[in-house]
Amino acid sequence: MAMLWKFMRVAKYSKTALAPKIKVRGIPTHSRHSSSKSVPSDFAANTPSSNTVEVLGKAYPQDDYSNVTEKILSKVGKNLHNKKHHPLWLIKEQVKDHFYKQYIGRRGTPLFSVYDGLSPVVTIQQNFDSLLIPQNHASRRKEDNYYLNRDHMLRAHTSAHQWDLIHSGLDAFLAVGDVYRRDTIDNTHYPVFHQMEGVRLFSCHELFSNIKDGEGLQLFEQGHRTAHKQECHTMEAVRLVEFNLKQVLTKLMTHIFGDGLQVRWVDCYFPFTHPSFEMEINFQGEWLEVLGCGVMEQKLVNSAGAQDKIGWAFGLGLERLAMILYDIPDIRLFWSEDERFLKQFIVPHIWQKIKFQPLSRYPPLINDISFWLPSETYSKNDFYDLARTIGGDLIEKVVLVDEFTHPKTQKVSHCYRIIYRHPERTLTQDEVHRIHQAIEESAVRELGVEGRF
């Protein structure tokens, strides 16, 4: 990948630009343990030769679902979470260290195994079906995901590996990796970020062994589904699993952020966990969401071959934790190769206190773009992807500032404000004008909008 802050040449954007064979060489397709090393990736767009996309040494035929861009593919294999002394690596290592020391198995070895080299290319079955996500669920939309084709995609969450790891016989594990989602553009959102998945399964003996008179307690029953439990679980089992999960995560957050941390739980909904919760921490007077978790759906556990066990799962974002812990103001900085950023995280041990010192802030340049929408098929994420592909990380933020419906024609107009900022130097209006004009022209050509430029 070119340096994050290096000025990018204006390129023509096309949703069908991936028809040429695109090759990304990088990490192996799978890894067995956290000791695996990250292999740098190389990105190159080759001369058009076939209607395929090549990722990590494998070619995928394109179809009507293919929407991954060259910009996104250039991130595959970067593995920031495995890059020593990177802030995301520091957070990952802190969580690993906590779990290794806090939870010990019967043989005196760490209870949780860690997998941080799993391929980001997954099947639709892995990403959605194995997690019991309905066919019509909003999370499957093309507007929100990066599809290689109808059968393969760049994982939208590390939960995509839950079923496979459970099916391999694991009862306790952490899975870490880069995930990909089409999203808005601002200082806290980026189409590539990093997650850590945690899963723990319990047998009847493991769950009730320390409970007084627990011999007669059971994991399962034939009951009714409620807001507090699944139909197959006993209330006693659910309460104990929920208590264990919240205790594990509260200890983790307290260990990372220090004693006195305030934690609260908010009920929510995830298709593959029930009941489900989001954890929020009070940091500097503000409640911030840091992870989602819940009791695993027994249908998922059963289908993976662990019919006699019950468990929990959680997912946390490494960028979110690092931004809070180190006071990093902009998510784009994680992709920086600027030594002024990276050297701040070269510390003698992973628990070293770090206070990020901001880089020089150069003035922003602000330009608006307005156009009439083509039809109901228009998606804001299509425009965000287009802007990101052309402007790259010089675009700090894109926000919809006005929406107007013509009283006679009923046509809808959007006005977006694009904020450009280069962290290493002052951008000129001429530079920004060329990028902005390319975005305007591409929006008309590729999205079918009618410009109001």
Side-chain angles (χ1 to χ4, degrees), residues 200-330:
R200 174 78 194 277
L201 300 180
F202 301 88
S203 66
C204 186
H205 172 73
E206 289 171 324
L207 191 61
F208 297 126
S209 61
N210 294 323
I211 303 300
K212 184 178 180 181
D213 300 324
E215 296 83 2
L217 297 178
Q218 300 296 321
L219 297 179
F220 307 112
E221 67 174 3
Q222 295 300 318
H224 299 285
R225 190 180 183 94
T226 70
H228 306 291
K229 76 175 191 71
Q230 300 170 42
E231 61 270 26
C232 57
H233 291 159
T234 63
M235 184 58 75
E236 294 84 2
V238 171
R239 290 302 187 200
L240 281 174
V241 171
E242 181 183 325
F243 175 77
N244 180 269
L245 169 61
K246 291 182 175 180
Q247 188 179 48
V248 166
L249 294 175
T250 300
K251 284 183 179 179
L252 172 63
M253 291 299 124
T254 301
H255 199 64
I256 291 176
F257 293 102
D259 294 331
L261 182 73
Q262 292 180 283
V263 172
R264 72 182 183 189
W265 301 92
V266 180
D267 291 346
C268 65
Y269 169 73
F270 299 109
F272 44 95
T273 54
H274 177 79
S276 305
F277 313 94
E278 287 179 346
M279 181 190 210
E280 297 181 347
I281 66 171
N282 192 299
F283 191 78
Q284 298 180 349
E286 182 179 359
W287 285 100
L288 301 171
E289 175 195 335
V290 292
L291 56 83
C293 61
V295 180
M296 294 187 70
E297 280 286 346
Q298 198 60 36
K299 292 179 182 177
L300 190 165
V301 177
N302 290 348
S303 69
Q307 294 90 341
D308 58 343
K309 296 180 179 180
I310 184 175
W312 51 247
F314 71 80
L316 57 86
L318 299 185
E319 277 88 348
R320 173 58 61 89
L321 293 182
M323 291 179 80
I324 296 172
L325 183 62
Y326 302 131
D327 200 18
I328 298 174
D330 193 324

Side-chain angles (χ1 to χ4, degrees), residues 167-180:
H167 187 65
S168 72
L170 295 174
D171 287 343
F173 58 84
L174 303 174
V176 195
D178 45 340
V179 298
Y180 300 77

Side-chain angles (χ1 to χ4, degrees), residues 413-426:
S413 171
H414 278 188
C415 178
Y416 294 89
R417 179 154 296 157
I418 304 179
I419 301 174
Y420 301 86
R421 191 198 303 265
H422 196 305
E424 293 180 336
R425 63 177 176 83
T426 300

Side-chain angles (χ1 to χ4, degrees), residues 372-379 411-412 414 447-450:
W372 297 105
L373 305 190
S375 67
E376 294 180 357
T377 61
Y378 172 83
S379 166
K411 293 177 65 175
V412 178
H414 278 188
L447 303 183
V449 304
E450 181 183 341

